[in-house]
Amino acid sequence: MRLLRACLILSALILPVAAQAAILPITLCDAVWLDAARSREVPVRIRMPAGRGKVPLIVFSHGLGGSLEAGTMWAHAWATQGFAVINLQHAGSDSALFGKPDFKSALNSTQLAARARDVQFALNEVGRKPFEGRCELRRIDPTRIGMAGHSFGAQTTLAVVGQSFPTPFEPPLADPRIRAAVGFSPSPPLTGSPEAAFANIRIPFLSVTGTQDAIPNVIAVTALQRQSPYRLMPPGDKFLLVMEGGTHAMFAGQSFSAGSSDREPTPHIRDTVIAITTAFWRAVFNDDKPALRWLQSPEGARAGLPPQDKFESK
């Protein structure tokens, strides 16, 4: 019920009527796909919206120590608005790390490359499989593919949409099938020049972060530095949402264990993130011009936010 209410704020934040859609039932399918070439299992959770027509696809990548539960709030909301969503779980940087003394050491370029290969493999499987359980994958439109991720998943997202690296990966991590992306708690590159890293990201990109979005015990990135990918990307359909009081865990978009409610997004943060990310996907993939104007104009998304929050575009 809480997620259903969250979807309804698409109108509460004065999203244009043309950018709204009925809340659709969804089909959820869990599976483990085997990448035989890498002898690697990739758990997936698929959400397919009701209907028979073609739909865009959004792939979601969790943060360090995450699982298929990461991004549940965002994935459910997007699916009810007509987008197929596939959550990935990345072996080597997932929840199996918890309790291990080398937890932070998994935040490295080897794991980043493995995650990017998981994304590429999953897109290959989507193109190959007509069904996964009750989920009809052949409904996915291969010309409308988006990528999203939180924390290390945001780094994964940046890697697959064109981030440059001091030592290029072979084969490259970028996947031209991805046409737009959302990064939750993005950060500067692990190595090399931030200016060079993001200079070639030319697809539409939305960065989502908060004024308290830092985890110094894991990585030395300040909340302000999480705005740098947006600042350093070339202009053209680039957006930045900064939520007052938003912590790192809040942008994971999931429910945590009892006693950890302070890690979940506040209703305002949850609802605003859902409204703005959904408008972004609709503008990019559904050619929804009112949604794009709402995102770009001072009278649009900015007007619906309290003064402490910040929303920019370029």
Side-chain angles (χ1 to χ4, degrees):
M1 181 60 69
R2 181 174 63 178
L3 287 174
L4 178 61
R5 288 197 301 269
C7 294
L8 296 177
I9 47 74
L10 290 173
S11 57
L13 283 181
I14 62 171
L15 184 60
V17 172
Q20 299 178 41
I23 294 175
L24 301 175
I26 61 174
T27 300
L28 189 146
C29 306
D30 282 0
V32 178
W33 291 346
L34 175 64
D35 184 350
R38 297 185 296 156
S39 301
R40 180 178 172 91
E41 291 185 339
V42 181
V44 299
R45 176 164 295 164
I46 305 164
R47 290 176 172 85
M48 287 294 298
R52 303 185 65 179
K54 291 286 189 178
V55 294
L57 169 66
I58 303 164
V59 178
F60 189 91
S61 172
H62 63 73
L64 184 67
S67 69
L68 294 178
E69 297 299 321
T72 292
M73 294 179 186
W74 321 139
H76 180 90
W78 298 335
T80 62
Q81 291 295 310
F83 300 89
V85 184
I86 299 181
N87 290 63
L88 304 181
Q89 185 162 326
H90 306 285
S93 58
D94 62 3
S95 54
L97 290 172
F98 278 122
K100 294 186 176 181
D102 58 346
F103 176 84
K104 292 187 291 186
S105 66
L107 195 66
N108 59 52
S109 59
T110 299
Q111 291 299 330
L112 179 64
R115 287 165 152 263
R117 306 293 180 218
D118 289 346
V119 175
Q120 296 168 341
F121 163 71
L123 293 181
N124 291 341
E125 288 295 279
V126 166
R128 186 182 70 83
K129 286 175 170 282
F131 284 87
E132 179 58 68
R134 295 185 301 119
C135 293
E136 188 178 358
L137 300 184
R138 63 189 176 189
R139 290 181 57 210
I140 291 171
D141 183 348
T143 69
R144 294 186 290 165
I145 295 176
M147 181 74 199
H150 172 247
S151 194
F152 201 10
Q155 292 187 33
T156 305
T157 298
L158 288 162
V160 298
V161 301
Q163 179 178 333
S164 300
F165 298 91
T167 302
F169 290 88
E170 291 297 336
L173 303 186
D175 194 314
R177 292 173 290 186
I178 299 170
R179 306 295 178 86
V182 174
F184 295 91
S185 304
S187 61
L190 296 174
T191 59
S193 161
E195 290 79 7
F198 306 124
N200 293 321
I201 296 179
R202 302 190 179 278
I203 65 171
F205 197 103
L206 166 60
S207 293
V208 180
T209 184
T211 58
Q212 298 179 34
D213 191 354
I215 42 171
N217 58 323
V218 176
I219 186 172
V221 175
T222 67
L224 187 61
Q225 286 176 315
R226 295 197 184 277
Q227 300 180 28
S228 66
Y230 167 81
R231 305 283 175 210
L232 297 172
M233 288 180 194
D237 295 326
K238 304 300 192 301
F239 303 89
L240 172 68
L241 174 64
V242 183
M243 304 296 297
E244 175 67 26
T247 67
H248 192 74
M250 289 179 180
F251 299 111
Q254 69 182 89
S255 296
F256 292 94
S257 59
S260 302
S261 59
D262 59 325
R263 300 175 64 193
E264 298 179 22
T266 65
H268 169 64
I269 289 176
R270 179 197 66 217
D271 295 352
T272 302
V273 167
I274 288 173
I276 289 179
T277 56
T278 303
F280 174 79
W281 295 127
R282 290 186 64 82
V284 171
F285 290 134
N286 295 354
D287 194 27
D288 193 321
K289 292 180 173 56
L292 181 60
R293 288 195 297 270
W294 184 77
L295 290 169
Q296 292 177 335
S297 71
E299 298 77 23
R302 296 172 186 80
L305 295 175
Q308 298 93 332
D309 297 335
K310 178 167 58 177
F311 186 69
E312 300 180 30
S313 66
K314 63 178 181 178

